[in-house]
Amino acid sequence: MAVTDVRPRPVAPPPRAPIPPLRHGFLSLVDTRWSPYLFIAPFFVIFAIFGLFPLAYTGWVSLHEWDLGGAGAFIGLDNYTTLFGDPDFWNAVVNTLGMLVLATVPQLLLAMVLASLLNQKLRGLTLLRMGVVLPIVTSVAAVGIVFSQIFDRDAGMVNGILGLFDVAPIDWRADKWSSWTAIATMVNWRWTGYNALIYLAAMQSIPRELYEAATVDGASKVRQFRSITVPMIRPSIIFTVIVSTIAGMQLFTEPLIFGQGGYAISGGSLRQFQTLSMYMFEKAFRDFDYGYGSAVAWMIFLLITLLAVVNFLVTRRGN
C-alpha cells in the first residue's frame, strides 16, 4: 500500500540580490560624500587662481626692489617701513576714509528711506523700481564726466544754484572737503538705488501681520519702521555696510575722472582727493616702482580686512 507524504515541504529561500560590483559601490560613495564638494570646487579653484595667487604674488613683490627691469634684491619689510613714514600715503588714507564716510553713511540712509517708500502701494510701482536701477547701468566714465561738469567752478550747475542764494562760487577741486563732497555725490547717486533694491527685497519678506498687530496697538509708522523693519532686515544692513566699505576703500575711477588734467592721478595739485588706489597706481604704473606699489596694495587689503571685522563686531554686538 502506497503512503502519500502530506507534510509541508520547506520553502526555498528567495534568491539573493546580485552583489553590485565594487566599482559601482565606489562611485556611489563618491556621489554621496564628495559630489557636493565637487560642485562647489570650481569657485574655489577660480578664486585660488585669480584671488589668492595674485594676493600672494603681490606680497612677494612687495618684499623686493622691483621695477621695469624685473625683480631686484630682496629687501624684506623695507618698503613697509618707508610706507609708514610716507606723508603722501597717510594723506591718501585720510582722503579715502573721509570720502568713505561721506559716500557710505548718507547712501545707506537714503537707500533705506527709498526702499521704505517703494514698499508702499503706489501707482506705477514697477516703473519706479526700475528707475532706481538706471544709475547702476550707467557707465562710470559717463557719470564722472557729467558730474565734473555739474561741479565745474565757472559754469557748473551747482554753483549756479548756489548763486541764486548769493553764495560765492566754490572751486570744488581746490580743497579737501569740497572735492570729497563732489566725489561722494557721484558715488551716492550711482549706488543708492542698488542698496535700496536689497533693502526692498528684505522688507517684502517681513510678515504683514506684524505691521497689522502694531497698528492695532497704536504704533506709529516711525515706530513700526524702527521696531519692526530695521531689526527684521538687519542681515541685509550688515551686507550692504560691508560691501559699501570694501567699495569705498577701492575708490578709483570717480576721483580720477573728477581730477582731469595732468594732476588726475595725484588727486589734484596738493593731493587733496587722492585715494589709496590712486596712490598705488601712481607708484606702480607711473613711477614703475612695483615693489612699493605692491606694499601699498597690501596695506589696502589689510585696512579693508580691519574695517570689515570692525563692522562685523559692531553689528553683531548690536544684534
Side-chain angles (χ1 to χ4, degrees):
M1 178 180 180
V3 177
T4 304
D5 187 1
V6 297
R7 291 179 297 180
R9 296 181 178 180
V11 179
R16 293 183 178 179
I19 300 176
L22 181 60
R23 184 169 177 271
H24 289 175
F26 175 74
L27 292 178
S28 177
L29 181 65
V30 170
D31 181 51
T32 304
R33 293 187 179 181
W34 298 104
S35 59
Y37 299 100
L38 293 177
F39 287 141
I40 62 175
F43 165 77
F44 289 100
V45 172
I46 294 174
F47 177 71
I49 296 173
F50 297 102
L52 292 181
F53 174 72
L55 186 66
Y57 190 72
T58 303
W60 175 253
V61 173
S62 70
L63 303 177
H64 292 75
E65 287 183 351
W66 204 301
D67 54 21
L68 276 178
F74 180 82
I75 57 173
L77 298 177
D78 284 0
N79 279 328
Y80 294 93
T81 305
T82 307
L83 194 63
F84 287 133
D86 186 353
D88 291 338
F89 169 74
W90 293 111
N91 174 70
V93 172
V94 172
N95 289 340
T96 304
L97 293 178
M99 282 185 269
L100 171 67
V101 173
L102 291 178
T104 300
V105 177
Q107 179 188 137
L108 297 183
L109 292 177
L110 286 173
M112 194 169 296
V113 173
L114 185 60
S116 182
L117 293 175
L118 291 174
N119 200 30
Q120 307 299 318
K121 294 180 180 178
L122 302 173
R123 289 185 177 180
L125 196 56
T126 303
L127 186 63
L128 293 174
R129 291 175 179 174
M130 291 176 61
V132 300
V133 187
L134 287 178
I136 305 173
V137 300
T138 306
S139 166
V140 63
V143 173
I145 293 172
V146 170
F147 274 84
S148 296
Q149 298 300 319
I150 291 174
F151 284 99
D152 186 73
R153 182 191 59 184
D154 301 321
M157 185 178 69
V158 176
N159 278 343
I161 295 174
L162 293 176
L164 298 177
F165 300 95
D166 294 331
V167 177
I170 299 174
D171 189 352
W172 295 95
R173 294 179 178 84
D175 300 314
K176 280 185 178 292
W177 283 104
S178 57
S179 56
W180 292 1
T181 303
I183 294 168
T185 303
M186 294 185 214
V187 179
N188 289 333
W189 182 83
R190 192 155 185 262
W191 292 106
T192 298
Y194 169 79
N195 291 312
L197 283 184
I198 294 176
Y199 291 151
L200 177 62
M203 288 177 183
Q204 291 188 334
S205 66
I206 301 175
R208 291 290 174 187
E209 291 80 7
L210 294 178
Y211 293 105
E212 294 172 359
T215 303
V216 172
D217 291 341
S220 64
K221 291 291 183 183
V222 176
R223 179 63 186 275
Q224 292 178 23
F225 181 78
R226 185 164 55 87
S227 301
I228 298 176
T229 304
V230 173
M232 295 294 285
I233 66 171
R234 187 181 298 276
S236 299
I237 295 174
I238 295 173
F239 171 77
T240 53
V241 168
I242 293 177
V243 171
S244 299
T245 302
I246 295 173
M249 290 299 295
Q250 297 175 338
L251 195 61
F252 180 79
T253 308
E254 288 88 348
L256 181 69
I257 297 176
F258 181 73
Q260 302 179 349
Y263 293 106
I265 196 62
S266 301
S269 57
L270 300 176
R271 300 179 182 273
Q272 57 269 31
F273 53 92
Q274 186 183 45
T275 63
L276 279 170
S277 297
M278 295 167 69
Y279 188 59
M280 177 199 67
F281 191 91
E282 178 186 6
K283 290 298 177 184
F285 300 106
R286 195 193 70 176
D287 300 341
F288 302 112
D289 190 350
Y290 297 122
Y292 198 75
S294 299
V296 178
W298 254 89
M299 289 306 300
I300 295 174
F301 169 72
L302 294 177
L303 284 172
I304 290 174
T305 304
L306 177 64
L307 290 177
V309 171
V310 170
N311 280 333
F312 176 75
L313 292 177
V314 169
T315 50
R316 183 184 179 186
R317 186 175 181 179
N319 191 25

